[in-house]
Amino acid sequence: MEPSFPPESKSKPRRIPVASEKIIFGHLEAWANIIRSYQATHPSHRVMLRYEDEAVLSLMELFKMAGRLNPQGFELVVAAADHNLKDVPKLVRYLVEGASDSYNQFIRRDVHQVQPLF
């Protein structure tokens, strides 16, 4: 007999347009900080970033591809066992801001500190 766990709830895929002409390391650092903050608040959630229908396993891989990225190619899906997806719109908004020229607001100089964004 299989355990009867409730299925994970998934957010609908949401586009994350990149507003800058090209993605730079600062954008990726901002994204990493934003996702880290989200997962500190929601540790059981899985944040899945996709680029042109392929899972992004490492933000550093995106940095290596920076010259040839499609600015409309990013999508975000969040899976949550607790079905609490109320912060996903905020996460998307922050990732869009992190991909714009105002990414600096998400880069902290405090080492090993998580920003209280959520």
Side-chain angles (χ1 to χ4, degrees):
M1 183 172 197
E2 291 183 30
S4 59
F5 296 109
E8 283 188 336
S9 174
K10 285 189 179 178
S11 67
K12 65 180 182 180
R14 300 193 184 213
R15 287 263 173 231
I16 302 172
V18 177
S20 297
E21 286 183 24
K22 65 178 188 172
I23 220 165
I24 60 172
F25 187 75
H27 295 129
L28 299 178
E29 186 178 353
W31 278 7
N33 289 340
I34 293 164
I35 292 170
R36 191 176 303 119
S37 175
Y38 181 84
Q39 290 187 306
T41 303
H42 302 285
S44 66
H45 292 197
R46 289 184 306 137
V47 176
M48 296 168 283
L49 189 60
R50 300 183 63 78
Y51 174 69
E52 293 188 341
D53 293 327
E54 290 192 32
V56 174
L57 302 176
S58 163
L59 292 177
M60 290 310 295
E61 288 299 316
L62 290 179
F63 184 66
K64 292 176 185 174
M65 298 170 47
R68 56 186 200 276
L69 287 176
N70 174 1
Q72 299 297 319
F74 292 97
E75 267 186 351
L76 174 82
V77 175
V78 176
D82 63 4
H83 300 271
N84 177 11
L85 296 169
K86 70 176 180 66
D87 283 336
V88 171
K90 193 175 190 180
L91 173 63
V92 171
R93 187 180 78 226
Y94 284 156
L95 289 173
V96 170
E97 287 178 34
S100 72
D101 291 334
S102 59
Y103 67 90
N104 284 326
Q105 63 184 323
F106 301 108
I107 298 177
R108 290 191 64 142
R109 301 294 175 223
D110 301 335
V111 179
H112 306 296
Q113 297 294 319
V114 175
Q115 290 176 314
L117 299 174
F118 299 93

